[in-house]
Amino acid sequence: MVLLNYIKFPIIVLISFILVGCGDERLPDSKNNEKIVRIGTADNNGRLSGLLGLAKQLGYLEEELQKVDYQYSISGFAGAGPAVNEGLATNAIDIAVYADFPGIIATSRGVPLKLIMSEDSSINANIAVRKDSNIHSLADLKGKKVALPRGTYMQRYFTLFIEQQGYKLSDFNIIQMTNDAESALLNGAIDAMVWTEQSTARLENKSPTITTLYSTRTEPELSGISVIVGREAFINQNENVIKAMNIALLKASKYAQNNPDQAEILLAKESDTNVEIIKKIHDFHSIDSFSKRYSVNITDNDIRKLKQTQQFLIDNKIITKPIDIKNWVYTKK
């Protein structure tokens, strides 16, 4: 049985109090011998846009978890990565799927987490502006209002990208925003937003007035990693759940490689978006990119990128205590 499936049950969206949504999870009756793994995502609607979402749509996640007498629930957090971290810290969820940036922050600050696997080794971010804004370069954007969610890989991308071009954060009017950024850009309250590739692509599709100014597509080293982390206490007591999820993602990865068109259709359904947007953000048709992005198990290149992310966090005084990245990766006991 799957809890909170889009068809059978509504996704729980946690209502924010301060940093994190906190809500009543109303779950249908389950079998006495079935337990629940609670999965949190930074999408406020609880949508899963990567391999985990594909595994859900294909039934692999349900199938593999049922083998170990588990179900799953999905909770969406409105405050991006920092809100998901609060959910992990307060034991509101067991597993989180989000970018590497907040995962490292939480672990450095004492939340006992383990990195389980990689959902996508190259998640992209865009800088979007209005077409009628006459903003065509960073020089044009200087001094103007730029919205970005702090504590996310979008912050890292924007900071390092402008530094490469000879600018610094103080050259721009940086505004902390999460889900309000899209409407703020549409109505002209801000001049640009730095957000996920999927969100900006969705906004461009929704409104012809929005366009992408810059993207990590041209700066791949500044892209993030979509990771799946878990509370260490939960992992230690439920290694069979981690194994089941790993199998489900590996099966989803293989399916996407062999059936890219159908995988895109299923992810579009899961993400509540159109197929063209999914085609734009995923590289299911590229043999070379696929093997690099969707390996699931943590690779040496993932470790290298994670170390770079941690160094950025230290250099910008976002964290003061480094973690052992290799030791952070979960290994079966």
Side-chain angles (χ1 to χ4, degrees), residues 48-50 120 122-126 196-202 217 264 267-268 271 273-284 293-294:
L48 300 170
S49 59
D120 185 342
S122 186
I123 50 173
N124 292 294
N126 292 346
T196 66
E197 183 179 48
Q198 175 155 325
S199 293
T200 53
R202 193 194 301 266
R217 286 278 178 180
E264 289 164 349
L267 263 186
S271 304
T273 190
N274 65 52
V275 175
E276 292 308 311
I277 290 177
I278 297 299
K279 287 180 180 292
K280 186 175 182 179
I281 67 173
H282 285 288
D283 294 329
F284 290 161
R293 289 185 65 172
Y294 308 110

Side-chain angles (χ1 to χ4, degrees), residues 26-44:
R26 293 178 176 83
L27 305 174
D29 292 337
S30 61
K31 297 177 183 178
N32 291 332
N33 63 335
E34 284 188 323
K35 293 169 283 188
I36 301 163
V37 54
R38 302 165 301 168
I39 302 170
T41 172
D43 183 288
N44 63 305

Side-chain angles (χ1 to χ4, degrees), residues 141 144-148 158 172-175 191-194:
L141 192 58
K144 293 184 168 58
K145 297 177 182 177
V146 179
L148 60 79
F158 185 74
F172 306 88
N173 184 2
I174 304 297
I175 300 173
D191 300 294
M193 75 171 191
V194 188

Side-chain angles (χ1 to χ4, degrees), residues 226-299:
S226 177
V227 298
I228 298 177
V229 305
R231 293 189 297 108
E232 196 166 358
F234 176 85
I235 292 171
N236 290 340
Q237 296 171 15
N238 300 278
E239 289 195 328
N240 56 345
V241 172
I242 305 308
K243 181 179 179 180
M245 292 184 66
N246 182 261
I247 292 171
L249 259 73
L250 287 170
K251 288 169 66 175
S253 177
K254 185 175 181 179
Y255 181 91
Q257 188 171 29
N258 294 332
N259 308 277
D261 291 326
Q262 187 60 26
E264 289 164 349
I265 292 171
L266 290 171
L267 263 186
K269 178 182 177 183
E270 174 67 24
S271 304
D272 191 25
T273 190
N274 65 52
V275 175
E276 292 308 311
I277 290 177
I278 297 299
K279 287 180 180 292
K280 186 175 182 179
I281 67 173
H282 285 288
D283 294 329
F284 290 161
H285 287 271
S286 172
I287 296 175
D288 183 56
S289 294
F290 192 97
S291 61
K292 293 177 180 178
R293 289 185 65 172
Y294 308 110
S295 62
V296 178
N297 294 317
I298 302 299
T299 66

Side-chain angles (χ1 to χ4, degrees), residues 49-298:
S49 59
L51 286 183
L52 190 60
L54 183 58
K56 174 177 176 285
Q57 282 291 318
L58 288 164
Y60 295 157
L61 186 59
E62 178 181 8
E63 175 187 345
E64 295 302 326
L65 285 173
Q66 281 185 339
K67 291 177 182 178
V68 294
D69 296 324
Y70 257 85
Q71 307 171 61
Y72 67 86
S73 67
I74 302 171
S75 298
F77 288 75
V84 178
N85 278 345
E86 190 71 14
L88 288 164
T90 57
N91 295 344
I93 54 175
D94 306 305
I95 302 291
V97 51
Y98 57 6
D100 53 336
F101 198 99
I104 294 174
I105 292 175
T107 306
S108 172
R109 293 177 179 174
V111 181
L113 305 177
K114 280 291 187 179
L115 173 58
I116 303 169
M117 57 195 103
S118 165
E119 189 190 40
D120 185 342
S121 293
S122 186
I123 50 173
N124 292 294
N126 292 346
I127 302 172
V129 298
R130 291 177 58 92
K131 288 181 180 178
D132 61 4
S133 66
N134 291 320
I135 297 174
H136 306 291
S137 66
L138 284 179
D140 297 330
L141 192 58
K142 186 177 179 180
K144 293 184 168 58
K145 297 177 182 177
V146 179
L148 60 79
R150 295 185 186 277
T152 68
Y153 78 99
M154 287 79 81
Q155 177 186 356
R156 174 179 177 268
Y157 161 54
F158 185 74
T159 303
L160 294 180
F161 176 67
I162 64 170
E163 287 177 355
Q164 290 176 0
Q165 309 304 314
Y167 295 92
K168 52 187 181 296
L169 284 177
S170 58
D171 290 325
F172 306 88
N173 184 2
I174 304 297
I175 300 173
Q176 160 65 20
M177 277 191 179
T178 53
N179 298 308
D180 295 332
E182 293 184 12
S183 59
L185 184 61
L186 285 170
N187 65 33
I190 58 174
D191 300 294
M193 75 171 191
V194 188
W195 203 238
T196 66
E197 183 179 48
Q198 175 155 325
S199 293
T200 53
R202 193 194 301 266
L203 187 59
E204 287 180 44
N205 183 70
K206 175 182 176 182
S207 173
T209 65
I210 305 300
T211 187
T212 293
L213 184 63
Y214 297 105
S215 172
T216 53
R217 286 278 178 180
T218 59
E219 306 287 342
E221 282 300 304
L222 301 184
S223 66
I225 302 176
S226 177
V227 298
I228 298 177
V229 305
R231 293 189 297 108
E232 196 166 358
F234 176 85
I235 292 171
N236 290 340
Q237 296 171 15
N238 300 278
E239 289 195 328
N240 56 345
V241 172
I242 305 308
K243 181 179 179 180
M245 292 184 66
N246 182 261
I247 292 171
L249 259 73
L250 287 170
K251 288 169 66 175
S253 177
K254 185 175 181 179
Y255 181 91
Q257 188 171 29
N258 294 332
N259 308 277
D261 291 326
Q262 187 60 26
E264 289 164 349
I265 292 171
L266 290 171
L267 263 186
K269 178 182 177 183
E270 174 67 24
S271 304
D272 191 25
T273 190
N274 65 52
V275 175
E276 292 308 311
I277 290 177
I278 297 299
K279 287 180 180 292
K280 186 175 182 179
I281 67 173
H282 285 288
D283 294 329
F284 290 161
H285 287 271
S286 172
I287 296 175
D288 183 56
S289 294
F290 192 97
S291 61
K292 293 177 180 178
R293 289 185 65 172
Y294 308 110
S295 62
V296 178
N297 294 317
I298 302 299

